[in-house]
Amino acid sequence: FAPPRTLEVLLTRVMIRMEDAGFLKHKLFHYFIGVARKYGERILNGQPVPLTGRLLYGLGNVLIYGPLKNVLGFSRVRVAYTDEREEQHAMDAGALVLVVPTVRSYEEAIKARDWAYFPPLGKRSLGGGQAFSMYANVPGGYRQTINDNLVLILMIETLDGLTDADRIAKIPGVTAIFAASADLGNFAGTKQNDPDYECEINIVHDAAIKACVLLCGPLAWRDRPDFTCFQGGSELAAVAI
């Protein structure tokens, strides 16, 4: 079995960047990578591991693995479309931030919410996957706490989505709505700074403000009023901001 080429590239980038890190960070990184290689797979598979190994792995998760996953986007997943299988697989893999693109209607948004959350808020089934082992030490348990910790972001990208933006933003469980700068213009035939385009963005903006949810957009809009979460082009962009 060989890892996907994409993961090999990411690993190479991380290893190169860590060679330029400070002495302490460099030593911690390589030490806890060794811990992960020794115990990580067995822990994730629920196999017996000495208490010392579990303690070291837990410390490594706080200092190295967790921050690294966040920087690389492994705790944040954008599914391909609103679909039970897509969302279930993302959540079972351990996603804590779920981004659903091209939400065209209130009904589609309800489905996106239902497949992301366990009952009573949603309809997510109790499947397998590594999420339960990844978050096995979460106080209260993964199943009992993930509904309170999940960040669900719905992307408004079409004119139909704009029509239902107010209702979509008010759905319980929706954390944020995303004003998709490129595709809103693509579907509406407008471009940034055109009055009609700015009106479209304002519809998403106003829906988020009225529903008291977060307003997301591209990284270039980080200075726009009320936008508080952003999509970076790469892990380097995420670090830079």
Side-chain angles (χ1 to χ4, degrees):
F1 174 81
R5 176 61 179 165
T6 301
L7 296 184
E8 289 183 350
V9 172
L10 282 176
L11 178 60
T12 300
R13 288 182 183 175
V14 169
M15 299 302 289
I16 291 174
R17 288 168 61 184
M18 289 310 302
E19 291 305 312
D20 296 327
F23 176 80
L24 180 59
K25 185 180 291 186
H26 182 273
K27 288 295 184 181
L28 285 173
F29 174 80
H30 284 285
Y31 177 79
F32 283 110
I33 287 298
V35 170
R37 285 172 176 160
K38 186 174 182 179
Y39 300 114
E41 184 175 358
R42 290 159 61 189
I43 289 175
L44 293 178
N45 288 333
Q47 297 173 348
V49 171
L51 177 60
T52 302
R54 289 192 177 275
L55 291 175
L56 287 174
Y57 189 84
L59 182 59
N61 194 48
V62 173
L63 297 176
I64 302 296
Y65 319 139
L68 186 59
K69 284 192 298 181
N70 287 338
V71 168
L72 296 177
F74 288 169
S75 295
R76 308 175 185 91
V77 178
R78 171 173 167 164
V79 295
Y81 49 89
T82 307
D83 175 78
E84 182 174 9
R85 180 179 181 276
E86 287 277 315
E87 293 190 36
Q88 180 87 35
H89 282 194
M91 295 303 301
D92 286 349
L96 297 177
V97 178
L98 189 67
V99 182
V100 182
T102 323
V103 176
R104 298 175 177 85
S105 67
Y106 172 79
E107 290 74 21
E108 191 171 339
I110 288 288
K111 291 179 180 178
R113 188 278 311 277
D114 284 349
W115 293 328
Y117 287 92
F118 284 122
L121 182 57
K123 299 178 180 178
R124 177 185 169 191
S125 65
L126 194 63
Q130 65 182 15
F132 288 87
S133 54
M134 286 174 63
Y135 307 118
N137 296 323
V138 172
Y142 174 75
R143 166 62 179 86
Q144 289 72 27
T145 60
I146 184 58
N147 277 11
D148 294 327
N149 291 310
L150 175 63
V151 174
L152 178 62
I153 303 174
L154 305 184
M155 300 185 72
I156 308 297
E157 307 187 58
T158 68
L159 293 178
D160 290 335
L162 285 178
T163 301
D164 278 352
D166 280 341
R167 298 174 70 202
I168 290 171
K170 293 176 182 177
I171 294 173
V174 173
T175 312
I177 54 175
F178 190 108
S181 58
D183 263 330
L184 273 175
N186 173 50
F187 283 105
T190 57
K191 58 183 180 180
Q192 194 165 340
N193 297 323
D194 285 349
D196 288 344
Y197 177 91
E198 296 302 323
C199 181
E200 295 159 11
I201 300 302
N202 286 337
I203 291 174
V204 182
H205 169 279
D206 293 349
I209 299 302
K210 286 186 288 186
C212 296
V213 298
L214 297 177
L215 176 61
C216 304
L219 186 59
W221 288 2
R222 59 186 179 273
D223 293 326
R224 277 200 178 212
D226 299 319
F227 280 83
T228 55
C229 67
F230 307 97
Q231 179 184 34
S234 67
E235 68 270 20
L236 293 178
V239 171
I241 192 172

